Amino acid sequence: MPRTALNFIAPVIRQCIDECVRCNEVCLSTIPYCLEQGGHHAEESHIVLLQDCASICRTSADFMLRGSDEHERICAATVAICRRCADDCDRLSDDDVMRACAEVCRRCADSCERVAVVGV
């Protein structure tokens, strides 16, 4: 395997980056689905929260990849937003897509919490 800077990232950080990237992808891809569903799925507050979650996850991954000293603070914010997004998706939990989105958001929140608390 070629040596890259990614080889030097601590495993807990690498996992968190992966979870953040996945959460970003899932939240972004869930937006058009919600808009197609209409009703509660398409409420402005829900769509904005999906956008917020996607954005903070992308930002958190960027901070960790750059080795920013502020990544713990960003991870802490990511925990709060991902949990809020998961809870909002759970409102629509009779829907497999929304259950999956909530699960991904929770995994990301848990991973970011480990980074924020441990101070890696």
Side-chain angles (χ1 to χ4, degrees), residues 19-118:
E19 295 290 353
C20 284
V21 168
R22 178 75 179 137
C23 192
N24 170 267
E25 292 170 350
V26 169
C27 286
L28 285 179
S29 66
T30 300
I31 292 169
Y33 171 80
C34 287
L35 293 172
E36 286 175 14
Q37 296 303 303
H40 293 301
H41 284 77
E43 289 173 356
E44 181 181 2
S45 62
H46 180 65
I47 299 300
V48 168
L49 189 51
L50 285 167
Q51 291 170 326
D52 288 350
C53 191
S55 181
I56 195 68
C57 287
R58 182 179 54 249
T59 299
S60 192
D62 289 348
F63 270 61
M64 287 182 281
L65 283 166
R66 291 187 284 108
S68 171
D69 291 341
E70 297 296 325
H71 77 270
E72 292 168 23
R73 191 181 326 250
I74 299 303
C75 280
T78 304
V79 171
I81 293 170
C82 283
R83 288 209 171 118
R84 189 167 160 232
C85 191
D87 289 346
D88 204 51
C89 288
D90 277 341
R91 274 189 318 126
L92 308 165
S93 64
D94 58 334
D95 180 315
D96 289 340
V97 172
M98 301 315 300
R99 270 195 302 276
C101 188
E103 181 181 321
V104 168
C105 289
R106 280 201 181 81
R107 274 199 319 263
C108 185
D110 291 346
S111 188
C112 284
E113 186 171 52
R114 282 190 291 279
V115 169
V117 170
V118 171

